[in-house]
Amino acid sequence: MTDAPAATAGPPSTTRFNWRSLLWQAILTVTIAWLGYEAFTNARTNMQARNIPSDFSFWFNTSGFDINQTLISYSAVSTYGRAFMVGLINTLAVAAAGVFFATIIGFSVGIARLSSNWIVAKLAAAYVELLRNTPLLLQLLFWYNAVLKQLPHPRQSLPFPALTAQMPGLTTLLIGGGAVLAAAMLLWFGKRANSAGPVPLLTRTLGSLSLGAGVLILLFGGMLIGAGSSSNDVFAGILGFAKGQYGYLNNRGLYLPFPQFAAAMQPVWIAFGCGLVAAIVFFVWAGKRQLRTGQQLPRASIALAILFIPAALVFWSAGNPVSFDLPKPRGFNLSGGWRIYPEFFALLLGLSLYTAAFIAEIVRAGILAVEKGQTEAAGALGLRRQTILKLVVIPQAMRVIIPPLTNQYLNLTKNSSLAVFIGYPDLVQVFAGTVLNQTGAAVQVIAITMAVYLVISLVTSLIMNIYNRRVALVER
Amino acid sequence: MSNIFIRQTPLPQLAPPPDSQGVVGWLRENMFSTPLSSMLTLLALLIIGWIVPDLIRFMFVDAVWSGDGAACKAPGAGACWAYVRDKIGFFTYGLYPETEIWRVNLVLAVGAVLALWLLWPDAKGRAMAAVLFFAAYPVISFGLLTGHVPFPMGWFPGGAPGKLAVWAFPLILLVAATGLYFARQRGWAFLLIGVCIWFAVGLIWRDFNLVKVGTHNWGGIFVSLLVATIGIVFSLPLGVLLALGRRSEMPIVRFCSIVFIEFIRGVPLITILFMANFMLPLFVPQEWSPDRLLRPLIGVALFASAYMAEVVRGGLQAIPKGQYEGAMAMGLNWSQMMRLIVLPQALVLVIPGIVNSFIALFKDTTLVAIAGVFDFLKAIETQREDPSWAGPTISTTGYLFAALFYFLFCFGMSRYSIMMEKRLSAGRKH
């Protein structure tokens, strides 16, 4: 290949201009243009011959089919466009829930795999290997057909969560033990907070959690017995739900109590909103104060307290204005309550567990990527283990973890299209399945479906690139 | 000074503390080192005790190894392996005619031998294996599996001009090959000789008269392996081209490669299979209507090639810049540089990545069921409803069998990939 003629001043240009590259590009362009033209004309001929619509007018036609799980209102007289919306929202719902659970499970399993406890590490490794080496579709079909569909009929529903059915006294033990543990943590946290030096992350987390749990149980516990009365037998309500008096599990789904908010809840939401703003402001201010003066406050616990306590007080003083729509047996089925369909549950379970296995490996790689010298140097500086994790290891590990993590989130979103095999009405099943079959407008429907997934992928990649550039190591 | 004691010999070495040695010591260190660790050990043992005995009981102790549907319906029966044994033919070959199964076995055996030859570390003559695997094997398999002649003999006119063409064609090719060989264009010469051999095979094939087996009869493990293998065989060259195109300095080539790769990687495989299944017949003239198996195969091949392009691109980026610059300093043109210097190193580097792609592709072949192809998982799905075997354990047995098969295959391939990665990075660790 010949170089461009050398300039008389400055370094030689690195872009090559020569006739051969021009020829190759011309050939490529002509080939692609010709193929595109051929495909276009063939498609037009074939579609006219088979009476397939070639525009988007089907969008406004009546759909004529029903969808059993919709998060927005939809009926058989809605348009195909509305059906598209239903499918899209279902896909986003299962993807969001899947991402949430997959992250939690994935991080736990990844950290467990690095544990010094041999049996925990091997269990985590077995989980990862088992789930990564079997196809996702097989797992979905297993959960749907071999587990959820084998549950009993609605007339013989299993109570949910029914902890006492498994082991008598376990529920009382758990709730009592949990209360004792929360009290102990509160006391210990108070004692630790008074001691000199920064409070470790674990203590603070447990402190916040126990504080929040205590507040929630005390102030909202009355919800669980249904009526908006102020005589709240809190533990009876919790025990009742734990014993399975209000939840039903059968092969038509999981039925749970659904909260109904009275009009008197408005002030509570306002108080919650103000609490949220105040909590964020406090959180940011406390961080800045720490950078300025070096004084630390237990930011998270106080922020949580600011978030929940005013709302809880308003709620309490308004007389607990919430009631529960409890599912009740009626005929061959159940009515009322919040029904979680087995298709959604199977898809969520399969996707979360499968993606969690991949996330576990990513987390493990990220934590191992931080050099041991960092931990040792932090220890030599006198930092305790929790602080080392929080300030030294995890920020560096996050830089390695986040790019493949967002890739896994994208994979989860794309894998949710497997809902078409188990009948969950997601975008592919509703739009590229039913709507395509009814209208025959294959090109338009598939193009729209692909465009949706492409937009999700590209937006996520864009955000990820921005993040990468911000945290990238500046190299010489 | 007689009451000063000075040792002349060292004391004997004491044994280490007893509870830091042996089993007890190992347990203390690995399972019970802190209170939290002990709690986790107990929790883990509880979980194992909950799952494993039930699993072993289901799979082995209570399992029904032979019998019929009634034996599997008996209360307390475990996994119904008798059902698997009864259906193993369908699970492996689908509806392929029993008398022609030797053809499938031959194709699978030859494929296994060639794959082993290619993947065995430090095997000799892998270039030959590559040529056989990527060029000869697809042709022979197509012929054996479908029964059609693997050469477009229909392009030759019939009658007397046909007979003349049958002699003239290879003669012209051989003469051209000889000319090219002596004109120092050995690659092109070998290509023409290859076409000659292909033609000869086609000629001989006509006398075999194999029974034609339509693709709607193919199914089971053999289709899963076929789809995955075809995916890899076509995605590797295409992926290399796309990766080179993505790194090219020609803007249009780079643009087209990036658009193709990002488009395919941004959409789920199911939508690509839908596109191949529904849109492809619309884009080609009526008389070409592609076969029912061919459409998802095209979709899978395109999908795999986009991911393979990224894997190969990683390998190309890992080659030090000095290699490119050295090749250019020696006066090699682009095609010589890629063919002789860069690609041999890059492709060997990404063997683990290619094997990982193969594992992912093998798992993704389960999705071709959406196009009506009877792959292994769909075969198991459909046979679940067989009334002569209906029972509470049939579903679980079927899924367990599928899970075992996929797990063994994918786990084996991933161990190979890890082994190759260790060998390849052995020279690079500093």
Side-chain angles (χ1 to χ4, degrees):
Chain A
M1 283 174 150
T2 53
D3 272 336
T8 47
S13 160
T14 48
T15 55
R16 295 161 178 267
F17 176 83
N18 54 41
W19 295 107
R20 200 182 304 181
S21 80
L22 208 60
L23 183 67
W24 277 117
Q25 292 179 79
I27 292 178
L28 185 66
T29 318
V30 165
T31 318
I32 292 182
W34 175 72
L35 280 174
Y37 174 72
E38 278 295 310
F40 185 69
T41 45
N42 277 334
R44 202 163 45 176
T45 337
N46 286 335
M47 283 165 86
Q48 270 166 0
R50 301 181 203 185
N51 253 338
I52 297 174
S54 49
D55 58 358
F56 289 93
S57 62
F58 71 89
W59 193 266
F60 303 105
N61 293 346
T62 314
S63 64
F65 64 91
D66 235 331
I67 303 177
N68 60 3
Q69 313 173 47
T70 61
L71 285 172
I72 57 177
S73 68
Y74 174 86
S75 71
V77 300
S78 308
T79 58
Y80 285 125
R82 189 105 180 134
F84 168 81
M85 279 286 131
V86 168
L88 181 62
I89 292 181
N90 279 346
T91 298
L92 292 175
V94 80
V99 157
F100 178 72
F101 286 113
T103 311
I104 294 179
I105 302 175
F107 270 79
S108 317
V109 173
I111 293 175
R113 216 172 145 187
L114 291 168
S115 162
S116 57
N117 186 320
W118 182 86
I119 203 172
V120 167
K122 289 300 172 210
L123 260 186
Y127 169 88
V128 168
E129 286 304 322
L130 183 64
L131 288 198
R132 283 202 318 173
N133 287 317
T134 44
L136 175 59
L137 185 57
L138 175 62
Q139 297 177 33
L140 280 179
L141 290 173
F142 170 75
W143 289 119
Y144 186 60
N145 288 320
V147 174
L148 292 183
K149 278 276 173 227
Q150 306 293 329
L151 290 170
H153 288 288
R155 289 203 119 178
Q156 295 110 20
S157 299
L158 294 172
F160 182 84
L163 296 172
T164 50
Q166 305 283 335
M167 271 188 245
L170 180 65
T171 320
T172 322
L173 181 70
L174 279 177
I175 293 181
V180 167
L181 194 65
M185 283 293 152
L186 270 171
L187 285 170
W188 183 39
F189 166 64
K191 191 156 158 267
R192 274 318 241 113
N194 286 334
S195 66
V199 181
L201 172 70
L202 184 65
T203 318
R204 280 188 288 153
T205 317
L206 286 174
S208 313
L209 283 175
S210 56
L211 191 67
V215 166
L216 285 174
I217 288 178
L218 282 173
L219 296 170
F220 296 101
M223 279 192 207
L224 286 164
I225 58 172
S229 68
S230 51
S231 64
N232 302 320
D233 194 350
V234 171
F235 287 108
I238 300 176
L239 267 176
F241 181 68
K243 276 198 195 126
Q245 287 167 359
Y246 306 119
Y248 297 89
L249 182 63
N250 54 53
N251 66 358
R252 297 239 192 131
L254 173 63
Y255 295 80
L256 293 173
F258 192 67
Q260 315 271 71
F261 297 111
M265 273 298 280
Q266 296 277 20
V268 181
W269 296 130
I270 297 175
F272 190 77
C274 297
L276 185 66
V277 169
I280 293 176
V281 163
F282 167 77
F283 197 78
V284 169
W285 170 81
K288 291 211 177 105
R289 176 171 176 260
Q290 178 182 349
L291 286 175
R292 211 178 48 234
T293 65
Q295 290 170 338
Q296 249 187 344
L297 283 173
R299 281 198 297 172
S301 332
I302 298 182
L304 277 177
I306 296 179
L307 180 63
F308 280 119
I309 290 185
L313 286 173
V314 176
F315 183 75
W316 202 12
S317 63
N320 291 6
V322 71
S323 60
F324 273 80
D325 182 17
L326 298 171
K328 288 184 181 49
R330 190 176 65 170
F332 283 105
N333 211 338
L334 293 153
S335 71
W338 179 33
R339 177 180 175 187
I340 302 178
Y341 283 77
E343 289 87 18
F344 175 80
F345 198 57
L347 190 63
L348 183 64
L349 204 57
L351 281 176
S352 307
L353 291 176
Y354 183 75
T355 314
F358 288 87
I359 291 180
E361 284 298 284
I362 291 171
V363 167
R364 186 175 81 110
I367 296 184
L368 285 178
V370 179
E371 296 168 351
K372 200 160 190 306
Q374 301 278 311
T375 318
E376 291 172 349
L381 280 177
L383 299 178
R384 32 170 34 104
R385 202 176 122 77
Q386 312 295 341
T387 321
I388 295 178
L389 269 179
K390 183 192 170 209
L391 295 177
V392 177
V393 175
I394 288 182
Q396 296 184 67
M398 274 298 154
R399 190 185 280 129
V400 176
I401 287 175
I402 294 216
L405 190 65
T406 49
N407 208 22
Q408 285 306 318
Y409 291 162
L410 275 177
N411 279 349
L412 192 145
T413 312
K414 289 189 289 179
N415 283 337
S416 70
S417 59
L418 263 66
V420 72
F421 286 96
I422 56 176
Y424 175 70
D426 82 316
L427 180 64
V428 171
Q429 209 266 2
V430 164
F431 201 59
T434 316
V435 172
L436 193 153
N437 277 334
Q438 286 197 347
T439 62
V443 178
Q444 299 93 304
V445 164
I446 295 178
I448 295 177
T449 315
M450 283 183 159
V452 167
Y453 282 106
L454 261 182
V455 163
I456 298 177
S457 297
L458 291 176
V459 164
T460 313
S461 299
L462 209 68
I463 297 178
M464 229 272 306
N465 276 341
I466 295 176
Y467 170 81
N468 251 353
R469 239 172 291 150
R470 279 188 55 186
V471 302
L473 294 167
V474 178
E475 289 179 337
R476 276 182 279 114
Chain B
M1 307 261 277
S2 58
N3 54 353
I4 294 177
F5 172 69
I6 300 176
R7 271 197 91 76
Q8 306 296 332
T9 57
L11 279 171
Q13 199 176 19
L14 285 177
D19 56 4
S20 73
Q21 286 291 94
V23 179
V24 177
W26 185 88
L27 280 177
R28 276 183 65 137
E29 197 185 311
N30 288 311
M31 292 212 218
F32 297 101
S33 51
T34 67
L36 183 64
S37 183
S38 314
M39 273 202 299
L40 284 175
T41 305
L42 288 173
L43 197 63
L45 286 174
L46 264 177
I47 294 178
I48 293 180
W50 183 37
I51 298 180
V52 171
D54 274 343
L55 199 63
I56 295 186
R57 196 187 43 82
F58 182 79
M59 278 174 61
F60 299 109
V61 176
D62 285 343
V64 177
W65 296 93
S66 61
D68 64 345
C72 288
K73 275 190 260 220
C80 191
W81 300 123
Y83 159 78
V84 172
R85 280 168 66 172
D86 188 43
K87 304 257 176 216
I88 191 77
F90 182 72
F91 288 157
T92 317
Y93 301 108
L95 290 169
Y96 213 86
E98 291 237 4
T99 51
E100 309 295 321
I101 288 197
W102 63 269
R103 287 153 55 177
V104 178
N105 291 337
L106 186 61
V107 165
L108 289 177
V110 169
V113 164
L114 283 175
L116 263 173
W117 186 5
L118 263 178
L119 294 175
W120 197 267
D122 304 328
K124 297 277 177 288
R126 283 202 279 191
M128 186 57 166
V131 165
L132 283 177
F133 187 68
F134 286 94
Y137 180 63
V139 167
I140 305 286
S141 324
F142 174 78
L144 273 174
L145 290 172
T146 55
H148 289 123
V149 175
F151 191 86
M153 300 300 270
W155 288 357
F156 288 90
K163 280 203 159 45
L164 188 61
V166 160
W167 282 108
F169 182 68
L171 215 59
I172 296 175
L173 282 179
L174 280 172
V175 165
T178 329
L180 282 170
Y181 188 85
F182 286 111
R184 318 278 296 274
Q185 297 286 340
R186 295 216 182 146
W188 291 108
F190 284 135
L191 185 66
L192 289 181
I193 295 182
V195 174
C196 242
I197 297 178
W198 183 18
F199 176 73
V201 165
L203 266 184
I204 303 173
W205 205 280
R206 272 194 311 191
D207 305 325
F208 281 172
N209 254 341
L210 288 171
V211 173
K212 300 202 179 356
V213 183
T215 54
H216 49 269
N217 283 335
W218 300 6
I221 293 179
F222 131 69
V223 164
S224 289
L225 281 173
L226 186 74
V227 172
T229 312
I230 290 186
I232 286 289
V233 161
F234 281 95
S235 71
L236 201 47
L238 203 54
V240 168
L241 282 175
L242 280 169
L244 290 172
R246 192 166 177 167
R247 285 168 56 91
S248 158
E249 287 167 345
M250 298 189 261
I252 295 187
V253 172
R254 197 167 61 231
F255 177 75
C256 291
S257 306
I258 293 180
V259 163
F260 181 83
I261 293 175
E262 292 305 324
F263 173 77
I264 302 256
R265 276 165 49 103
V267 294
L269 177 56
I270 286 211
T271 48
I272 303 228
L273 289 174
F274 268 118
M275 180 176 79
N277 212 18
F278 292 110
M279 281 164 73
L280 202 59
L282 293 176
F283 286 151
V284 296
Q286 286 271 26
E287 55 271 9
W288 279 14
S289 66
D291 180 69
R292 214 178 63 169
L293 180 61
L294 186 62
R295 285 179 258 159
L297 273 181
I298 292 177
V300 166
L302 285 177
F303 187 77
S305 60
Y307 282 81
M308 187 66 73
E310 288 297 281
V311 170
V312 172
R313 187 168 79 108
L316 288 173
Q317 280 175 332
I319 306 286
K321 222 167 173 306
Q323 300 283 311
Y324 292 90
E325 291 168 351
M328 284 194 273
M330 282 179 56
L332 299 175
N333 65 25
W334 181 89
S335 121
Q336 285 168 330
M337 170 171 74
M338 287 302 164
R339 206 167 25 97
L340 298 171
I341 308 288
V342 177
L343 279 179
Q345 296 183 62
L347 288 178
V348 167
L349 260 185
V350 299
I351 286 183
I354 294 177
V355 173
N356 286 343
S357 281
F358 184 71
I359 298 172
L361 191 59
F362 188 63
K363 290 192 296 178
D364 282 340
T365 57
T366 52
L367 268 65
V368 299
I370 201 79
V373 173
F374 267 81
D375 77 303
F376 180 43
L377 192 57
K378 176 145 188 190
I380 291 197
E381 247 321 87
T382 48
Q383 291 305 305
R384 234 166 29 95
E385 325 262 317
D386 190 348
S388 59
W389 283 97
T393 56
I394 296 295
S395 290
T396 319
T397 310
Y399 289 133
L400 203 55
F401 178 61
L404 276 172
F405 174 76
Y406 279 110
F407 180 77
L408 284 173
F409 196 89
C410 296
F411 188 68
M413 295 297 283
S414 75
R415 296 322 285 185
Y416 170 79
S417 161
I418 291 176
M419 189 251 314
M420 282 307 287
E421 211 174 338
K422 283 207 188 97
R423 291 181 113 233
L424 288 169
S425 61
R428 280 157 211 284
K429 285 250 188 298
H430 44 265

